[in-house]
Amino acid sequence: MANAALVALVVGSWAALLAAVVAAAALDMSPVPFLAGYVPLFGGDNLVQSPDGRSVRLKLDSRTGSGFVSKSAYHHGYFSASIKLPDGYTAGVVVAFYLSNGDEFPRNHDEVDFELLGNRRGQPWRVQTNIYGNGSTSRGREERYLLPFDPTLRPHAYAVAWTPTAIIFYVDGTPIREVVRVPAMGGDFPAKPMSVYATIWDGSAWATDGGRYKVDYAYAPFAADFSGLVLRGCPAAAAGGGGDDGDARCEVGLMTAERAVMTPAKRAAMRRFRRRHLTYTACRDRVRYNGTVFPECDADGDGLGRDDFHAWGESKRVVMPRRGGGGRQQRQRADRAVDGRPSTWPAGALRAD
């Protein structure tokens, strides 16, 4: 009887796992209405909902920025927002889509960031990604990238897949960064439940050329439009249940979902993106951390070696192009990739294959 019970338990466990994997193949990535998943965080009338309730405009003016937060905290998941950024002079403006638990753990919070950094007129927006675990803000793992499209013309999707073993950042479905959890990271890997945030705010102190160019409110209001809000995760209340079958199915479902799995085709697309658009990485910064290399940094994982970067982590290969000026020869140099193909791809053309 004992053996029969054991067999039944094993078979039942594998059946549950198989059911989770099958469900993951059809994981629902449909956007949610704003009020179904989020609530306003700050900003008053600087947060404007669309008439159909499926998108939100966040504005920054001289009075305040604005933002919203998810109704639930999540213990891993897939989170996405399509964002259209303001045009013109946007120096100092920061538009952020991120996960955080700073309200619950102010001294040892976790964070996973997409920060979109404004610029002077004619200069492109830049994207910065970062992670923190257990308040490890003194060990920032920033990376910065140029975008292969003009993010002010139409919405583009920025997404995070966060599982117990890895974090993948996506732009328009193409992975641009993978942080794989390794034992030596310890508490630096985000592991506590987090809420999902979106904000626009004044980052004059650092966002553009280290704070050289500030927000100029003569150009306000600055408006960022958020749509396509995808919230697919394991709610923290359920994740803390300890051994519940529903919790296990949720975790397995997320870990086997397409967006959480780095296939060879996706890895190749990520390497192409990084070769063409990565401008800074803490993994190659030998000055900031006195030669220390973070344990998760893979020396050859993206096909870029130490010789491709300056000692302070800036790329030698990717130059900052001008947008809307600079002459034909300058634009041609900026558009020429190292492998002979264009490095500026049409809007919406990012693909993993």
Side-chain angles (χ1 to χ4, degrees):
M1 290 293 293
N3 289 339
L6 179 59
V7 170
L9 179 61
V10 171
V11 171
S13 298
W14 276 105
L17 178 60
L18 179 61
V21 171
V22 172
L27 193 64
D28 184 8
M29 295 295 181
S30 302
V32 300
F34 174 70
L35 290 179
Y38 291 94
V39 294
L41 180 63
F42 72 100
D45 58 6
N46 272 6
L47 185 154
V48 182
Q49 298 181 50
S50 64
D52 65 2
R54 303 196 71 87
S55 62
V56 175
R57 171 166 290 182
L58 297 182
K59 296 188 291 184
L60 167 68
D61 58 27
S62 59
R63 299 177 299 118
T64 182
S66 52
F68 57 86
V69 61
S70 60
K71 292 181 176 180
S72 300
Y74 297 90
H75 201 210
H76 309 119
Y78 176 80
F79 313 100
S80 179
S82 293
I83 307 171
K84 181 177 180 291
L85 297 171
D87 198 1
Y89 184 96
T90 54
V93 176
V94 179
V95 177
F97 180 67
Y98 63 104
L99 315 178
S100 178
N101 49 33
D103 54 340
E104 293 290 330
F105 305 96
R107 295 187 178 182
N108 62 335
H109 81 288
D110 304 323
E111 198 165 306
V112 178
D113 297 333
F114 258 117
E115 292 173 312
L116 305 160
L117 311 179
N119 217 327
R120 293 170 291 153
R121 185 181 299 275
Q123 295 288 338
W125 280 80
R126 292 150 301 141
V127 177
Q128 177 167 286
T129 62
N130 201 359
I131 69 165
Y132 298 117
N134 269 341
S136 57
T137 55
S138 64
R139 298 184 296 279
R141 288 161 157 85
E142 293 94 341
E143 287 194 345
R144 288 188 291 275
Y145 326 81
L146 298 177
L147 288 168
F149 49 75
D150 185 341
T152 71
L153 297 179
R154 67 190 74 178
H156 291 270
Y158 305 86
V160 172
W162 170 43
T163 73
T165 58
I167 297 168
I168 305 175
F169 295 86
Y170 287 91
V171 175
D172 281 348
T174 291
I176 67 169
R177 182 182 187 183
E178 180 187 30
V179 181
V180 177
R181 186 178 194 172
V182 298
M185 290 182 73
D188 283 5
F189 187 89
K192 299 187 292 294
M194 293 187 282
S195 299
V196 185
Y197 292 81
T199 57
I200 185 171
W201 51 284
D202 187 330
S204 291
W206 65 275
T208 306
D209 289 355
R212 180 180 179 186
Y213 298 98
K214 315 291 185 183
V215 173
D216 186 345
Y217 287 105
Y219 298 100
F222 305 97
D225 294 331
F226 286 75
S227 59
L229 302 172
V230 178
L231 278 172
R232 291 293 175 264
C234 303
D244 181 81
D245 287 345
D247 303 343
R249 284 196 295 270
C250 182
E251 294 284 358
V252 172
L254 287 169
M255 292 181 70
T256 55
E258 184 274 335
R259 289 302 171 92
V261 177
M262 184 61 74
T263 65
K266 289 165 66 175
R267 188 171 300 282
M270 181 175 71
R271 288 177 174 175
R272 286 195 299 270
F273 183 98
R274 293 171 69 80
R275 284 197 304 268
R276 296 169 176 177
H277 304 294
L278 177 67
T279 65
Y280 169 84
T281 174
C283 281
R284 299 290 185 268
D285 194 333
R286 305 190 300 276
V287 175
R288 181 177 177 187
Y289 297 113
N290 297 317
T292 299
V293 178
F294 291 123
E296 73 277 11
C297 292
D298 180 0
D300 299 314
D302 52 17
L304 297 173
R306 177 172 292 185
D307 291 342
D308 293 309
F309 295 86
H310 296 286
W312 52 92
E314 294 284 350
S315 173
K316 297 178 182 178
R317 301 162 60 106
V318 181
V319 297
M320 179 74 75
R322 289 187 60 83
R323 182 159 56 90
R328 177 179 297 178
Q329 289 184 347
Q330 181 178 3
R331 289 195 298 272
Q332 287 177 341
R333 286 195 299 270
D335 289 348
R336 189 179 300 123
V338 296
D339 59 0
R341 291 176 292 178
S343 62
T344 50
W345 304 339
L350 292 176
R351 301 190 307 175
D353 56 0

